[in-house]
Amino acid sequence: MDMRVFDLFKIGVGPSSSHTVGPMLAARRFLLECPELFKASKVQVALYGSLALTGHGHATDKAILLGLMGETPQDLIPDSVEGKLAALASSGTLHLLGEYDIKFKITEDLLWHKQEVLPGHPNGMRFTLTRNDGSVCERVFYSTGGGFIYAEEELENSKSSTEEPKVAIPYPFAKMEDLLAHGKRTGLSIAQMLRANELMHCSEEELDAGIDRIWAVMKGCIARGLQISGELPGGLHVKRRAAKLWLTANDNKDELPHDGMHRVSLYAMAVNEENAAGGRVVTAPTNGAAGIIPAVLRYYAEDCKPSNPEKGVRDFLLVASAIGMLCKRNASISGAEIGCQGEVGVACAMAAAGLTAALGGSNEQIESAAEIGIEHHLGMTCDPIGGLVQIPCIERNGMGAVKAITAASLALKSDGTHHVSLDQVIETMRQTGADMQDKYKETSLGGLAVHVVTVNYAAC
């Protein structure tokens, strides 16, 4: 499997990995790979399917424009966004990659095809650049969830579970059964195998520094989310709750048995409120589900009192990445493709497996925890109200974090044997997503997205 831990965990900005991070990367890549960019006279971008239907709520238009300017999700300063976009709106001049100026009219050069879906994936976009001599450069890209992007010609290979990795790794795997077999043969844990695979790409020091940076950004995101109050952007008038509830939780003199889980849910909500506000987050494995893994990691580091928290956090994220790789390769992590079971469900499975590993669970217990995490999210729809990653997304992360801890607890208290394998439940998730009506897959055409808006309009 040609995927790495840093492919699953990307530092970026909110509110969406598939609708914000992916399009920004695609726009920039299009220009970087377009010959004779200096001759450009016009650029048009057409959005299709889910990108068109929920793009305004997910800031896809802003992401595309920033990508054309040369910005990247990992380096973009969130507070600079509005100023950059205001300058474009007032001048009508777009600085391609920050170097070449063209005239750009947002209402004419950014097109929304809400009734049309490109064949490769619900998140499709077509970029067209016209040069001074009338020649054209045109490419189609797909944003397949988690910040992964593929040009049209690359998409089929990305879906193949038999694709050979570009770098030979000691423990190749396409299914969970492969990892379990490697473990039985060698006596190694899943964390040890993933570490060995990663070390074919980088040094031990580089790997640990990268993982530690991911955890630092996650911790910082929780901390910001637990301090900032106010209203989230987008027009739903949703107020941030994590900061106020956090103060209440810490002021409570008569602690209840469930208060630990309450704090975990607040960690997750804090991250997703930051994401909804366009702040700095780690895609884990998507932005819409970005709060679950940080919340469970903080629970591990603070409440489980580990003897070696540094090693535990690293093992957690390595094992979590293995589960995310399996889900992406054999099903999907895109809400637009298979619903929220592929986002919150997968994040829950990743967190459950990571926690089980960090607490010393066996490979079989890790598999059991991940399977439980997905099984109890099967069929979950993606129906964001107003196309915004707010309702039900923020609370859904809090619930997913609690479920992950429960799944890990059940697995650790068992001997690792279970009736449903992780490979079976991933395939079930894929088939369930294929059967799900499109209106429940990040289009805001069904579910809560329709009924809540209808009630609000009726009340006016």
Side-chain angles (χ1 to χ4, degrees), residues 25-254:
L25 292 170
R28 182 173 183 270
R29 180 182 161 187
F30 167 70
L31 293 181
L32 287 171
E33 297 178 0
C34 192
E36 299 182 307
L37 183 61
F38 64 93
K39 293 182 179 179
S41 61
K42 184 179 181 65
V43 171
Q44 280 195 324
V45 185
L47 304 174
Y48 298 84
S50 178
L51 285 182
L53 286 163
T54 62
H56 284 296
H58 286 80
T60 305
D61 47 350
K62 296 179 180 180
I64 291 284
L65 297 174
L66 291 165
L68 293 174
M69 294 176 193
E71 297 286 349
T72 61
Q74 65 269 26
D75 296 320
L76 178 68
I77 299 172
D79 289 343
S80 72
V81 169
E82 293 309 319
K84 292 177 183 294
L85 297 176
L88 168 60
S90 63
S91 68
T93 299
L94 180 61
H95 306 291
L96 299 181
L97 299 181
E99 297 182 43
Y100 311 108
D101 290 352
I102 64 167
K103 289 300 177 182
F104 189 93
K105 193 169 184 178
I106 296 174
T107 55
E108 295 178 2
D109 295 326
L110 191 55
L111 310 173
W112 306 80
H113 296 287
K114 297 183 178 182
Q115 305 302 319
E116 187 177 350
V117 179
L118 295 181
H121 190 277
N123 292 333
M125 57 201 120
R126 176 177 280 108
F127 296 88
T128 305
L129 180 143
T130 304
R131 303 185 186 91
N132 295 325
D133 59 7
S135 61
V136 171
C137 175
E138 182 174 279
R139 292 187 77 185
V140 169
F141 285 88
Y142 293 99
S143 178
T144 63
F148 288 86
I149 59 166
Y150 300 95
E152 190 170 36
E153 65 273 14
E154 301 167 343
L155 193 63
E156 278 310 308
N157 282 340
S158 77
K159 295 178 179 178
S160 172
S161 61
T162 60
E163 181 187 6
E164 290 296 320
K166 294 182 179 69
V167 175
I169 54 177
Y171 304 104
F173 63 99
K175 299 286 184 73
M176 186 67 185
E177 66 182 15
D178 298 329
L179 283 174
L180 294 176
H182 287 317
K184 287 178 181 177
R185 177 175 55 83
T186 63
L188 295 175
S189 69
I190 293 175
Q192 289 170 322
M193 288 185 274
L194 264 290
R195 176 170 284 274
N197 286 351
E198 288 292 326
L199 293 181
M200 302 306 294
H201 299 273
C202 62
S203 69
E204 191 114 30
E205 293 75 18
E206 289 170 331
L207 174 61
D208 288 340
I211 294 175
D212 293 347
R213 168 126 175 87
I214 293 296
W215 176 218
V217 175
M218 287 179 171
K219 285 191 292 186
C221 188
I222 293 174
R224 288 193 306 275
L226 291 177
Q227 294 172 353
I228 301 174
S229 57
E231 188 175 289
L232 293 172
L236 286 182
H237 305 296
V238 173
K239 294 189 181 300
R240 289 178 180 247
R241 290 182 291 161
K244 182 177 180 180
L245 290 172
W246 180 244
L247 286 174
T248 303
N250 288 324
D251 287 344
N252 190 358
K253 302 299 188 293
D254 301 315

